[in-house]
Amino acid sequence: MTTSITVAGMTCGHCASSVREELGEVPGVTEVDVDLATGTVTILSEAPVADALIRTAVEDAGYQLAGQ
Ligand code: 9UX
């Protein structure tokens, strides 16, 4: 399935890589696509991934979900 989130504060390619790596380690996630210009992050997974796991991964990478 596909989950779209918006991540605030990513300004460079390294930011995008950090977010991609952390989210990629969440169980069940198969692919992560980051659009640096818009902050849109698309997560592909075998099954629904809990919101809390996504939020924690984003925060572990050093960023926040937009609006939080
Ligand atoms: Mo470079 Mo992106 O410090 O935060 S990794 S702008």
Side-chain angles (χ1 to χ4, degrees), residues 40-65:
T40 302
V41 178
T42 305
I43 301 160
L44 302 186
S45 59
E46 298 155 354
V49 179
D51 288 350
L53 287 181
I54 291 176
R55 185 174 59 247
T56 299
V58 168
E59 291 176 355
D60 283 352
Y63 304 92
Q64 296 275 316
L65 295 179

Side-chain angles (χ1 to χ4, degrees), residues 9-16 18 36 63:
M10 295 186 297
T11 52
C12 76
H14 296 113
C15 302
S18 299
L36 191 53
Y63 304 92

